[in-house]
Amino acid sequence: MDTSCVRNRIAAHNRLCHPGSMREAKYLAVKDAQQPQLMLFACVDARVVPHEMLGVGCDEAFTVRRFAANVPPYGSGVAAKETEAQLTFALDLLQIPAVVVAGHSNCGA
């Protein structure tokens, strides 16, 4: 697989965030602290951009991507502990007021 196309796209995107770019003001506004308004559990499917699916900006959603947007039940096990840590960070430290689980049709994950 030729990765040069992907590398070129990443480099072009990074140039948009450099000083003097149109995105610089947006970056400077959020660089010191995140203040998302929702925690979003979304699918890992690469065809889906979770925050766009809900019509919010990328800085408005604390996004956790999981296969099929699956949130494991509370309990023991690695997945449950990982999810507990994510929820604790989002709800207790970031003080996020809402949690959304957003799946989609025709999932390829």
Side-chain angles (χ1 to χ4, degrees), residues 14-99:
N14 288 341
R15 282 190 294 276
L16 292 173
C17 298
H18 284 197
S21 71
M22 293 174 56
R23 293 188 184 176
E24 181 184 17
K26 177 75 169 172
Y27 169 74
L28 291 174
V30 298
K31 76 177 182 79
D32 293 325
Q34 55 179 321
Q35 297 176 327
Q37 296 304 302
L38 64 94
M39 179 179 193
L40 172 60
F41 284 95
C43 183
V44 298
D45 192 325
R47 301 170 296 172
V48 176
V49 181
H51 66 277
E52 288 182 1
M53 182 170 64
L54 297 180
V56 299
C58 62
D59 59 327
E60 296 175 280
F62 178 74
T63 304
V64 176
R65 296 189 75 156
R66 303 185 66 89
F67 286 99
N70 180 28
V71 179
Y74 181 79
S76 60
V78 174
K81 294 296 182 190
E82 182 180 272
T83 301
E84 181 182 353
Q86 293 161 341
L87 284 164
T88 298
F89 180 76
L91 302 177
D92 293 348
L93 285 127
L94 295 178
Q95 300 289 303
I96 295 175
V99 177

